Amino acid sequence: DYPEITVDDYYIDIMAANLVNERVRGGFQVLLLPNLYGDIISDLCAGLVGGLGFAPSANIGDNTRIYEAVHGSAPDIAGQNKANPSAILMAFAMMLNDLGMTDKAARLNAAILAQVAEGKAVTADIGGTATTTEFTDAVAARL
């Protein structure tokens, strides 16, 4: 139905190898995978950009959209105030974009990236000692 879209089929092992290969990493715009492979490949891609704490997600249906962090609830650290909130904040920015609030989404993403780049008040998964609350407060202050 969409002749302008180029589609390639890959075996999952070749797809994984291509994603971590520097020469071809930027060659994919969209990946369409069944559930289990999608979960595995999304975790692999999250590792390429700094970890699961930086992987926002959107489940988009015809009438409903759900925005979340790829890693889900992280039950092993739930309630301990040490999760990296970047993924859920980035998911919120995705929602803002979809609602047409692109300027606010851009500001939120820029604040997150600036906070991480500064390296102060960042969570343990990216080399810091800040709590979830401290990181979130620092991002909010940048806004």
Side-chain angles (χ1 to χ4, degrees):
D1 291 344
Y2 302 93
E4 69 278 10
I5 296 176
T6 302
V7 177
D8 295 312
D9 293 320
Y10 291 87
Y11 288 110
I12 194 66
D13 56 341
I14 299 301
M15 171 58 64
N18 284 340
L19 287 167
V20 298
N21 185 324
E22 292 283 340
R23 293 177 288 119
V24 295
R25 185 178 303 157
F28 303 106
Q29 293 179 346
V30 175
L31 300 177
L32 180 61
L33 303 151
N35 189 35
L36 178 60
Y37 288 156
D39 187 47
I40 294 167
I41 293 297
S42 68
D43 287 358
L44 180 143
C45 290
L48 294 173
V49 298
L52 289 172
F54 293 104
S57 174
N59 300 290
I60 300 173
D62 291 336
N63 300 308
T64 305
R65 294 170 184 225
I66 299 171
Y67 300 85
E68 63 183 345
V70 163
H71 59 70
S73 64
D76 58 322
I77 58 172
Q80 299 177 39
N81 202 25
K82 60 183 183 180
N84 181 341
S86 296
I88 196 65
L89 293 171
M90 290 174 173
F92 181 63
M94 291 169 64
M95 184 180 72
L96 290 172
N97 257 331
D98 286 349
L99 292 172
M101 300 180 201
T102 56
D103 57 328
K104 292 177 181 179
R107 286 182 54 219
L108 177 54
N109 279 325
I112 296 164
L113 295 175
Q115 189 62 41
V116 171
E118 182 182 64
K120 296 179 183 174
V122 295
T123 52
D125 63 316
I126 52 175
T129 59
T131 65
T132 304
T133 303
E134 291 168 339
F135 179 89
T136 304
D137 287 346
V139 170
R142 290 179 181 278
L143 294 171

